Amino acid sequence: MARVITAQEAAALIGDGATVGLSGFGLACVNEETIAAVEQRFLADASPRDLTVVHASAVGNRRDKGMSHWGHPGLIKRWIGGIAIASPALAKLIEADGCQAYNLPQGVITQLYREIAGARPGVITKVGLGTFVDPRVEGARMSPSSTDDVVQVLELAGEEWLFYPSFPIDVALIRGTVADENGNLTLDHEGLKMEVLPLAQAAHNSGGVVIAQVESVAAAGTLDPNLVKVPGVLVDYVVVSQPENHFQTENTHYNPSFSGQLRVPLSSVAPIALSERKIIARRCAMELRPGDVLNLGVGIPCDVGTVAAEEGFADQVVLTTEAGAVGGVPAGLRDFGHAYNPEALVDMHAQFDFYDGGGLDVAVLGLAQGDAHGNVNVSKFGSRVAGCGGFINICQSATTLVFAGTFTAGGLEVTVEDGELRILTEGRARKFLADVEQITFSGPYAARRGQRVLYVTERAVLELVDGVMTLTEIAPGVDLQRDVLDLMDFAPAISPDLRPMPAGIFRETWGELCTVTSTERPAPAGATL
């Protein structure tokens, strides 16, 4: 029988030097009560300290919740995580070299919990080859004090693989909606199911402690066993939350359409005003075909789903999120990872199994920096740490990969006049560099695998052709030399078939997506069929 305790009592169970695993995506499935209580205890008593903290995705609201509570020198000794940017205080701690920091792919971490639970040696995968995670590049190290080897290269059956070793979990901090007196845990109102089950199994089988946050406690034997996600034999302690510490997403307390309690009309999803974002999203949407399964990243990529809904095409494709939503329309940044009207909510580790095995037809992801080799960086800029999240898993698995972003950054202003793009104020920072600052996506590795890769901006489209960055489209009204080539730190190849970007995407009303997506998708440029 699980014991109901206060958050302060839960914090007291975590000893110095413990390895703590946290579930969560934004604030979904985040045990905010215990995390905040640990901070209070540390500030009062300087304990617990020197923790090793593990979490697969973002844990925070990009302000003061989640892992931002633990961004104090001395509290964390080692961070092993997927994303730091959702917790500004944690990111600053890493940037100041206040702890060891290892940034691993989100899918790998969530799958690693299963290997720990099953007493297996670790995860063997190709995910991360050629990126900064590869020990021959940076070995996933994100701070100067991070000197250990946490990833290894293996050769099996004549092929290269990466090996991510297992380690014991002393404490698991997870969350659900209701627990009964025996500790059985449901996730009814959670918009994501995350990795709560394998993390609880990993801690339990490591001889550790599992602490679950819930909204309420029910009498033993009253829960529908079909709704129990984590059986009570795995849960040691239960903490009942205050409403302000039980947000469904980073910014939404509870939206029943995220967790399946009701469906909302898709017309309630606000349309996007005509801007550089909408131009990019429309051009990306042209890569979709009926029946495609796709993943959309945060930011501009999310707008692709909204464009598909506006164009009456959303029901022709299956949109998914790496956190586990299948179907529906992915929500935007404030609720990223969730979906309006999902058809299914699967565990995050299961979603990455599907992705890693080739289940994605198309992925549209962010473009922070690109370079002459086709590499993309979204994870680290100078000393500023963001984290790769699920980016590496998704990049390496999608058949067609589209990077979406503005051509320059920082103050870019554009307008559309008579169907032509006008650049009013150029961005201060270049995004197409000779070499990216960190390799989150490896262009050479993608080229060897024959992956179709596009880089879509508001003024130009590039494609990786036989490993060469090649300019294939340019926006109407844009000067090739002044507005494109002069703003790149390398000279791309220019396709002999260089053509204008489709005129329709620069109009206020488009209405052509269903037409352009009915054609067969092109093969990867340079591919032999």
PDB file of all heavy atoms in Angstrom, residues 163-196:
ATOM      1  N   PHE A 163      26.218   3.034 -28.349  1.00  0.00           N
ATOM      2  CA  PHE A 163      25.795   2.326 -27.144  1.00  0.00           C
ATOM      3  C   PHE A 163      25.690   3.332 -26.007  1.00  0.00           C
ATOM      4  O   PHE A 163      26.642   4.039 -25.684  1.00  0.00           O
ATOM      5  CB  PHE A 163      26.804   1.239 -26.799  1.00  0.00           C
ATOM      6  CG  PHE A 163      26.550   0.553 -25.471  1.00  0.00           C
ATOM      7  CD1 PHE A 163      25.324  -0.033 -25.197  1.00  0.00           C
ATOM      8  CD2 PHE A 163      27.546   0.503 -24.501  1.00  0.00           C
ATOM      9  CE1 PHE A 163      25.085  -0.658 -23.988  1.00  0.00           C
ATOM     10  CE2 PHE A 163      27.323  -0.123 -23.291  1.00  0.00           C
ATOM     11  CZ  PHE A 163      26.088  -0.709 -23.028  1.00  0.00           C
ATOM     12  N   TYR A 164      24.497   3.386 -25.397  1.00  0.00           N
ATOM     13  CA  TYR A 164      24.214   4.256 -24.262  1.00  0.00           C
ATOM     14  C   TYR A 164      24.037   3.366 -23.033  1.00  0.00           C
ATOM     15  O   TYR A 164      23.001   2.707 -22.878  1.00  0.00           O
ATOM     16  CB  TYR A 164      22.947   5.065 -24.505  1.00  0.00           C
ATOM     17  CG  TYR A 164      22.998   5.973 -25.723  1.00  0.00           C
ATOM     18  CD1 TYR A 164      22.751   5.484 -27.001  1.00  0.00           C
ATOM     19  CD2 TYR A 164      23.260   7.330 -25.575  1.00  0.00           C
ATOM     20  CE1 TYR A 164      22.767   6.321 -28.117  1.00  0.00           C
ATOM     21  CE2 TYR A 164      23.279   8.186 -26.683  1.00  0.00           C
ATOM     22  CZ  TYR A 164      23.040   7.669 -27.945  1.00  0.00           C
ATOM     23  OH  TYR A 164      23.055   8.498 -29.040  1.00  0.00           O
ATOM     24  N   PRO A 165      25.019   3.285 -22.127  1.00  0.00           N
ATOM     25  CA  PRO A 165      24.960   2.337 -21.011  1.00  0.00           C
ATOM     26  C   PRO A 165      23.874   2.655 -19.984  1.00  0.00           C
ATOM     27  O   PRO A 165      23.523   3.811 -19.744  1.00  0.00           O
ATOM     28  CB  PRO A 165      26.355   2.462 -20.374  1.00  0.00           C
ATOM     29  CG  PRO A 165      27.216   3.094 -21.416  1.00  0.00           C
ATOM     30  CD  PRO A 165      26.308   3.989 -22.191  1.00  0.00           C
ATOM     31  N   SER A 166      23.360   1.617 -19.353  1.00  0.00           N
ATOM     32  CA  SER A 166      22.387   1.743 -18.269  1.00  0.00           C
ATOM     33  C   SER A 166      23.057   2.181 -16.974  1.00  0.00           C
ATOM     34  O   SER A 166      24.279   2.058 -16.810  1.00  0.00           O
ATOM     35  CB  SER A 166      21.677   0.404 -18.039  1.00  0.00           C
ATOM     36  OG  SER A 166      20.901   0.031 -19.140  1.00  0.00           O
ATOM     37  N   PHE A 167      22.261   2.663 -16.037  1.00  0.00           N
ATOM     38  CA  PHE A 167      22.723   3.031 -14.694  1.00  0.00           C
ATOM     39  C   PHE A 167      21.517   2.968 -13.772  1.00  0.00           C
ATOM     40  O   PHE A 167      20.374   3.109 -14.219  1.00  0.00           O
ATOM     41  CB  PHE A 167      23.344   4.434 -14.682  1.00  0.00           C
ATOM     42  CG  PHE A 167      22.499   5.471 -15.365  1.00  0.00           C
ATOM     43  CD1 PHE A 167      21.443   6.094 -14.710  1.00  0.00           C
ATOM     44  CD2 PHE A 167      22.747   5.804 -16.687  1.00  0.00           C
ATOM     45  CE1 PHE A 167      20.649   7.031 -15.350  1.00  0.00           C
ATOM     46  CE2 PHE A 167      21.949   6.744 -17.345  1.00  0.00           C
ATOM     47  CZ  PHE A 167      20.914   7.358 -16.681  1.00  0.00           C
ATOM     48  N   PRO A 168      21.698   2.735 -12.482  1.00  0.00           N
ATOM     49  CA  PRO A 168      20.551   2.618 -11.564  1.00  0.00           C
ATOM     50  C   PRO A 168      19.883   3.962 -11.299  1.00  0.00           C
ATOM     51  O   PRO A 168      20.523   5.015 -11.299  1.00  0.00           O
ATOM     52  CB  PRO A 168      21.168   2.046 -10.287  1.00  0.00           C
ATOM     53  CG  PRO A 168      22.621   2.413 -10.364  1.00  0.00           C
ATOM     54  CD  PRO A 168      22.980   2.438 -11.817  1.00  0.00           C
ATOM     55  N   ILE A 169      18.569   3.922 -11.065  1.00  0.00           N
ATOM     56  CA  ILE A 169      17.780   5.100 -10.678  1.00  0.00           C
ATOM     57  C   ILE A 169      17.402   4.945  -9.214  1.00  0.00           C
ATOM     58  O   ILE A 169      16.768   3.963  -8.818  1.00  0.00           O
ATOM     59  CB  ILE A 169      16.494   5.214 -11.524  1.00  0.00           C
ATOM     60  CG1 ILE A 169      16.821   5.262 -13.016  1.00  0.00           C
ATOM     61  CG2 ILE A 169      15.672   6.419 -11.091  1.00  0.00           C
ATOM     62  CD1 ILE A 169      17.422   6.549 -13.499  1.00  0.00           C
ATOM     63  N   ASP A 170      17.779   5.911  -8.380  1.00  0.00           N
ATOM     64  CA  ASP A 170      17.485   5.842  -6.942  1.00  0.00           C
ATOM     65  C   ASP A 170      16.083   6.364  -6.608  1.00  0.00           C
ATOM     66  O   ASP A 170      15.425   5.838  -5.706  1.00  0.00           O
ATOM     67  CB  ASP A 170      18.516   6.660  -6.160  1.00  0.00           C
ATOM     68  CG  ASP A 170      19.930   6.140  -6.339  1.00  0.00           C
ATOM     69  OD1 ASP A 170      20.126   4.909  -6.243  1.00  0.00           O
ATOM     70  OD2 ASP A 170      20.835   6.959  -6.601  1.00  0.00           O
ATOM     71  N   VAL A 171      15.652   7.399  -7.320  1.00  0.00           N
ATOM     72  CA  VAL A 171      14.351   8.013  -7.047  1.00  0.00           C
ATOM     73  C   VAL A 171      13.690   8.349  -8.377  1.00  0.00           C
ATOM     74  O   VAL A 171      14.327   8.932  -9.264  1.00  0.00           O
ATOM     75  CB  VAL A 171      14.483   9.302  -6.212  1.00  0.00           C
ATOM     76  CG1 VAL A 171      13.108   9.909  -5.939  1.00  0.00           C
ATOM     77  CG2 VAL A 171      15.220   9.036  -4.905  1.00  0.00           C
ATOM     78  N   ALA A 172      12.416   7.989  -8.523  1.00  0.00           N
ATOM     79  CA  ALA A 172      11.629   8.388  -9.680  1.00  0.00           C
ATOM     80  C   ALA A 172      10.539   9.349  -9.230  1.00  0.00           C
ATOM     81  O   ALA A 172       9.775   9.032  -8.309  1.00  0.00           O
ATOM     82  CB  ALA A 172      11.005   7.177 -10.366  1.00  0.00           C
ATOM     83  N   LEU A 173      10.491  10.520  -9.866  1.00  0.00           N
ATOM     84  CA  LEU A 173       9.435  11.494  -9.596  1.00  0.00           C
ATOM     85  C   LEU A 173       8.507  11.503 -10.807  1.00  0.00           C
ATOM     86  O   LEU A 173       8.881  11.956 -11.887  1.00  0.00           O
ATOM     87  CB  LEU A 173      10.026  12.890  -9.370  1.00  0.00           C
ATOM     88  CG  LEU A 173      11.000  13.026  -8.197  1.00  0.00           C
ATOM     89  CD1 LEU A 173      11.456  14.474  -8.051  1.00  0.00           C
ATOM     90  CD2 LEU A 173      10.377  12.539  -6.896  1.00  0.00           C
ATOM     91  N   ILE A 174       7.289  10.966 -10.613  1.00  0.00           N
ATOM     92  CA  ILE A 174       6.335  10.827 -11.708  1.00  0.00           C
ATOM     93  C   ILE A 174       5.026  11.505 -11.319  1.00  0.00           C
ATOM     94  O   ILE A 174       4.876  12.004 -10.197  1.00  0.00           O
ATOM     95  CB  ILE A 174       6.094   9.350 -12.064  1.00  0.00           C
ATOM     96  CG1 ILE A 174       5.454   8.608 -10.887  1.00  0.00           C
ATOM     97  CG2 ILE A 174       7.404   8.678 -12.477  1.00  0.00           C
ATOM     98  CD1 ILE A 174       5.041   7.184 -11.217  1.00  0.00           C
ATOM     99  N   ARG A 175       4.044  11.491 -12.247  1.00  0.00           N
ATOM    100  CA  ARG A 175       2.772  12.138 -11.958  1.00  0.00           C
ATOM    101  C   ARG A 175       1.632  11.448 -12.687  1.00  0.00           C
ATOM    102  O   ARG A 175       1.815  10.907 -13.780  1.00  0.00           O
ATOM    103  CB  ARG A 175       2.813  13.607 -12.383  1.00  0.00           C
ATOM    104  CG  ARG A 175       1.636  14.413 -11.841  1.00  0.00           C
ATOM    105  CD  ARG A 175       1.700  15.851 -12.255  1.00  0.00           C
ATOM    106  NE  ARG A 175       1.042  16.098 -13.528  1.00  0.00           N
ATOM    107  CZ  ARG A 175       1.018  17.279 -14.135  1.00  0.00           C
ATOM    108  NH1 ARG A 175       1.668  18.303 -13.608  1.00  0.00           N
ATOM    109  NH2 ARG A 175       0.383  17.434 -15.286  1.00  0.00           N
ATOM    110  N   GLY A 176       0.460  11.468 -12.060  1.00  0.00           N
ATOM    111  CA  GLY A 176      -0.756  10.972 -12.673  1.00  0.00           C
ATOM    112  C   GLY A 176      -1.922  11.849 -12.273  1.00  0.00           C
ATOM    113  O   GLY A 176      -1.739  12.951 -11.750  1.00  0.00           O
ATOM    114  N   THR A 177      -3.110  11.349 -12.505  1.00  0.00           N
ATOM    115  CA  THR A 177      -4.319  12.109 -12.168  1.00  0.00           C
ATOM    116  C   THR A 177      -4.900  11.655 -10.827  1.00  0.00           C
ATOM    117  O   THR A 177      -5.119  12.454  -9.927  1.00  0.00           O
ATOM    118  CB  THR A 177      -5.383  11.941 -13.266  1.00  0.00           C
ATOM    119  OG1 THR A 177      -4.835  12.373 -14.511  1.00  0.00           O
ATOM    120  CG2 THR A 177      -6.626  12.767 -12.958  1.00  0.00           C
ATOM    121  N   VAL A 178      -5.127  10.346 -10.685  1.00  0.00           N
ATOM    122  CA  VAL A 178      -5.697   9.774  -9.462  1.00  0.00           C
ATOM    123  C   VAL A 178      -4.866   8.571  -9.051  1.00  0.00           C
ATOM    124  O   VAL A 178      -4.438   7.779  -9.907  1.00  0.00           O
ATOM    125  CB  VAL A 178      -7.165   9.335  -9.677  1.00  0.00           C
ATOM    126  CG1 VAL A 178      -7.730   8.683  -8.422  1.00  0.00           C
ATOM    127  CG2 VAL A 178      -8.029  10.519 -10.098  1.00  0.00           C
ATOM    128  N   ALA A 179      -4.654   8.424  -7.759  1.00  0.00           N
ATOM    129  CA  ALA A 179      -4.072   7.201  -7.208  1.00  0.00           C
ATOM    130  C   ALA A 179      -5.066   6.633  -6.207  1.00  0.00           C
ATOM    131  O   ALA A 179      -5.749   7.382  -5.498  1.00  0.00           O
ATOM    132  CB  ALA A 179      -2.742   7.481  -6.512  1.00  0.00           C
ATOM    133  N   ASP A 180      -5.165   5.310  -6.151  1.00  0.00           N
ATOM    134  CA  ASP A 180      -5.988   4.738  -5.085  1.00  0.00           C
ATOM    135  C   ASP A 180      -5.103   4.456  -3.872  1.00  0.00           C
ATOM    136  O   ASP A 180      -3.888   4.724  -3.890  1.00  0.00           O
ATOM    137  CB  ASP A 180      -6.761   3.511  -5.569  1.00  0.00           C
ATOM    138  CG  ASP A 180      -5.888   2.292  -5.829  1.00  0.00           C
ATOM    139  OD1 ASP A 180      -4.672   2.313  -5.502  1.00  0.00           O
ATOM    140  OD2 ASP A 180      -6.417   1.303  -6.371  1.00  0.00           O
ATOM    141  N   GLU A 181      -5.697   3.918  -2.838  1.00  0.00           N
ATOM    142  CA  GLU A 181      -4.954   3.713  -1.587  1.00  0.00           C
ATOM    143  C   GLU A 181      -3.834   2.693  -1.723  1.00  0.00           C
ATOM    144  O   GLU A 181      -2.923   2.654  -0.895  1.00  0.00           O
ATOM    145  CB  GLU A 181      -5.929   3.268  -0.487  1.00  0.00           C
ATOM    146  CG  GLU A 181      -6.929   4.350  -0.106  1.00  0.00           C
ATOM    147  CD  GLU A 181      -8.021   3.808   0.802  1.00  0.00           C
ATOM    148  OE1 GLU A 181      -8.698   2.829   0.392  1.00  0.00           O
ATOM    149  OE2 GLU A 181      -8.194   4.359   1.914  1.00  0.00           O
ATOM    150  N   ASN A 182      -3.885   1.892  -2.789  1.00  0.00           N
ATOM    151  CA  ASN A 182      -2.813   0.926  -3.037  1.00  0.00           C
ATOM    152  C   ASN A 182      -1.730   1.479  -3.956  1.00  0.00           C
ATOM    153  O   ASN A 182      -0.775   0.772  -4.280  1.00  0.00           O
ATOM    154  CB  ASN A 182      -3.384  -0.358  -3.650  1.00  0.00           C
ATOM    155  CG  ASN A 182      -4.234  -1.123  -2.662  1.00  0.00           C
ATOM    156  OD1 ASN A 182      -4.007  -1.055  -1.444  1.00  0.00           O
ATOM    157  ND2 ASN A 182      -5.231  -1.849  -3.158  1.00  0.00           N
ATOM    158  N   GLY A 183      -1.891   2.738  -4.382  1.00  0.00           N
ATOM    159  CA  GLY A 183      -0.879   3.357  -5.233  1.00  0.00           C
ATOM    160  C   GLY A 183      -1.113   3.197  -6.720  1.00  0.00           C
ATOM    161  O   GLY A 183      -0.315   3.698  -7.528  1.00  0.00           O
ATOM    162  N   ASN A 184      -2.173   2.487  -7.116  1.00  0.00           N
ATOM    163  CA  ASN A 184      -2.475   2.361  -8.540  1.00  0.00           C
ATOM    164  C   ASN A 184      -2.753   3.746  -9.127  1.00  0.00           C
ATOM    165  O   ASN A 184      -3.516   4.530  -8.551  1.00  0.00           O
ATOM    166  CB  ASN A 184      -3.688   1.454  -8.742  1.00  0.00           C
ATOM    167  CG  ASN A 184      -3.401   0.028  -8.339  1.00  0.00           C
ATOM    168  OD1 ASN A 184      -2.500  -0.614  -8.881  1.00  0.00           O
ATOM    169  ND2 ASN A 184      -4.153  -0.482  -7.360  1.00  0.00           N
ATOM    170  N   LEU A 185      -2.149   4.024 -10.275  1.00  0.00           N
ATOM    171  CA  LEU A 185      -2.097   5.381 -10.798  1.00  0.00           C
ATOM    172  C   LEU A 185      -2.775   5.466 -12.164  1.00  0.00           C
ATOM    173  O   LEU A 185      -2.467   4.694 -13.069  1.00  0.00           O
ATOM    174  CB  LEU A 185      -0.629   5.807 -10.924  1.00  0.00           C
ATOM    175  CG  LEU A 185      -0.299   7.273 -11.142  1.00  0.00           C
ATOM    176  CD1 LEU A 185      -0.647   8.084  -9.910  1.00  0.00           C
ATOM    177  CD2 LEU A 185       1.188   7.422 -11.467  1.00  0.00           C
ATOM    178  N   THR A 186      -3.709   6.418 -12.317  1.00  0.00           N
ATOM    179  CA  THR A 186      -4.310   6.699 -13.620  1.00  0.00           C
ATOM    180  C   THR A 186      -3.750   8.010 -14.165  1.00  0.00           C
ATOM    181  O   THR A 186      -3.232   8.840 -13.415  1.00  0.00           O
ATOM    182  CB  THR A 186      -5.839   6.817 -13.547  1.00  0.00           C
ATOM    183  OG1 THR A 186      -6.185   8.067 -12.928  1.00  0.00           O
ATOM    184  CG2 THR A 186      -6.446   5.670 -12.759  1.00  0.00           C
ATOM    185  N   LEU A 187      -3.912   8.206 -15.490  1.00  0.00           N
ATOM    186  CA  LEU A 187      -3.456   9.435 -16.129  1.00  0.00           C
ATOM    187  C   LEU A 187      -4.585  10.056 -16.949  1.00  0.00           C
ATOM    188  O   LEU A 187      -4.362  10.634 -18.004  1.00  0.00           O
ATOM    189  CB  LEU A 187      -2.240   9.161 -17.033  1.00  0.00           C
ATOM    190  CG  LEU A 187      -0.859   9.145 -16.360  1.00  0.00           C
ATOM    191  CD1 LEU A 187      -0.668   7.888 -15.525  1.00  0.00           C
ATOM    192  CD2 LEU A 187       0.254   9.266 -17.379  1.00  0.00           C
ATOM    193  N   ASP A 188      -5.808   9.954 -16.452  1.00  0.00           N
ATOM    194  CA  ASP A 188      -6.991  10.380 -17.194  1.00  0.00           C
ATOM    195  C   ASP A 188      -6.872  11.784 -17.776  1.00  0.00           C
ATOM    196  O   ASP A 188      -7.186  12.018 -18.946  1.00  0.00           O
ATOM    197  CB  ASP A 188      -8.237  10.362 -16.300  1.00  0.00           C
ATOM    198  CG  ASP A 188      -8.424   9.064 -15.557  1.00  0.00           C
ATOM    199  OD1 ASP A 188      -7.458   8.576 -14.962  1.00  0.00           O
ATOM    200  OD2 ASP A 188      -9.562   8.552 -15.555  1.00  0.00           O
ATOM    201  N   HIS A 189      -6.470  12.743 -16.952  1.00  0.00           N
ATOM    202  CA  HIS A 189      -6.465  14.138 -17.369  1.00  0.00           C
ATOM    203  C   HIS A 189      -5.117  14.602 -17.904  1.00  0.00           C
ATOM    204  O   HIS A 189      -4.962  15.786 -18.235  1.00  0.00           O
ATOM    205  CB  HIS A 189      -6.905  15.044 -16.214  1.00  0.00           C
ATOM    206  CG  HIS A 189      -8.364  14.927 -15.908  1.00  0.00           C
ATOM    207  ND1 HIS A 189      -8.975  15.607 -14.871  1.00  0.00           N
ATOM    208  CD2 HIS A 189      -9.350  14.202 -16.495  1.00  0.00           C
ATOM    209  CE1 HIS A 189     -10.263  15.302 -14.830  1.00  0.00           C
ATOM    210  NE2 HIS A 189     -10.515  14.451 -15.808  1.00  0.00           N
ATOM    211  N   GLU A 190      -4.167  13.707 -17.958  1.00  0.00           N
ATOM    212  CA  GLU A 190      -2.881  14.073 -18.564  1.00  0.00           C
ATOM    213  C   GLU A 190      -3.037  14.019 -20.081  1.00  0.00           C
ATOM    214  O   GLU A 190      -3.551  13.048 -20.630  1.00  0.00           O
ATOM    215  CB  GLU A 190      -1.778  13.111 -18.116  1.00  0.00           C
ATOM    216  CG  GLU A 190      -1.480  13.154 -16.628  1.00  0.00           C
ATOM    217  CD  GLU A 190      -0.854  14.472 -16.171  1.00  0.00           C
ATOM    218  OE1 GLU A 190      -0.242  15.172 -17.002  1.00  0.00           O
ATOM    219  OE2 GLU A 190      -0.975  14.797 -14.975  1.00  0.00           O
ATOM    220  N   GLY A 191      -2.575  15.058 -20.760  1.00  0.00           N
ATOM    221  CA  GLY A 191      -2.658  15.089 -22.208  1.00  0.00           C
ATOM    222  C   GLY A 191      -1.593  14.256 -22.878  1.00  0.00           C
ATOM    223  O   GLY A 191      -1.597  14.085 -24.098  1.00  0.00           O
ATOM    224  N   LEU A 192      -0.663  13.713 -22.079  1.00  0.00           N
ATOM    225  CA  LEU A 192       0.406  12.846 -22.572  1.00  0.00           C
ATOM    226  C   LEU A 192       0.633  11.746 -21.544  1.00  0.00           C
ATOM    227  O   LEU A 192       0.455  11.962 -20.344  1.00  0.00           O
ATOM    228  CB  LEU A 192       1.708  13.642 -22.771  1.00  0.00           C
ATOM    229  CG  LEU A 192       1.640  14.834 -23.738  1.00  0.00           C
ATOM    230  CD1 LEU A 192       2.898  15.680 -23.616  1.00  0.00           C
ATOM    231  CD2 LEU A 192       1.431  14.369 -25.161  1.00  0.00           C
ATOM    232  N   LYS A 193       1.021  10.575 -21.994  1.00  0.00           N
ATOM    233  CA  LYS A 193       1.260   9.451 -21.083  1.00  0.00           C
ATOM    234  C   LYS A 193       2.730   9.322 -20.714  1.00  0.00           C
ATOM    235  O   LYS A 193       3.083   8.690 -19.723  1.00  0.00           O
ATOM    236  CB  LYS A 193       0.755   8.142 -21.707  1.00  0.00           C
ATOM    237  CG  LYS A 193      -0.711   8.194 -22.134  1.00  0.00           C
ATOM    238  CD  LYS A 193      -1.623   8.712 -21.046  1.00  0.00           C
ATOM    239  CE  LYS A 193      -3.076   8.768 -21.496  1.00  0.00           C
ATOM    240  NZ  LYS A 193      -3.940   9.496 -20.562  1.00  0.00           N
ATOM    241  N   MET A 194       3.576   9.867 -21.568  1.00  0.00           N
ATOM    242  CA  MET A 194       5.006   9.998 -21.280  1.00  0.00           C
ATOM    243  C   MET A 194       5.676   8.667 -20.964  1.00  0.00           C
ATOM    244  O   MET A 194       5.318   7.632 -21.499  1.00  0.00           O
ATOM    245  CB  MET A 194       5.211  11.005 -20.149  1.00  0.00           C
ATOM    246  CG  MET A 194       4.659  12.390 -20.460  1.00  0.00           C
ATOM    247  SD  MET A 194       5.312  13.044 -22.013  1.00  0.00           S
ATOM    248  CE  MET A 194       7.040  13.120 -21.646  1.00  0.00           C
ATOM    249  N   GLU A 195       6.667   8.722 -20.040  1.00  0.00           N
ATOM    250  CA  GLU A 195       7.458   7.545 -19.700  1.00  0.00           C
ATOM    251  C   GLU A 195       7.267   7.152 -18.243  1.00  0.00           C
ATOM    252  O   GLU A 195       8.148   6.585 -17.606  1.00  0.00           O
ATOM    253  CB  GLU A 195       8.946   7.800 -19.972  1.00  0.00           C
ATOM    254  CG  GLU A 195       9.626   8.808 -19.030  1.00  0.00           C
ATOM    255  CD  GLU A 195       9.427  10.261 -19.407  1.00  0.00           C
ATOM    256  OE1 GLU A 195       8.323  10.782 -19.133  1.00  0.00           O
ATOM    257  OE2 GLU A 195      10.370  10.876 -19.910  1.00  0.00           O
ATOM    258  N   VAL A 196       6.084   7.460 -17.693  1.00  0.00           N
ATOM    259  CA  VAL A 196       5.870   7.235 -16.264  1.00  0.00           C
ATOM    260  C   VAL A 196       6.020   5.757 -15.894  1.00  0.00           C
ATOM    261  O   VAL A 196       6.574   5.429 -14.837  1.00  0.00           O
ATOM    262  CB  VAL A 196       4.505   7.773 -15.796  1.00  0.00           C
ATOM    263  CG1 VAL A 196       4.479   9.288 -15.839  1.00  0.00           C
ATOM    264  CG2 VAL A 196       3.369   7.197 -16.616  1.00  0.00           C
TER     265      VAL A 196
END
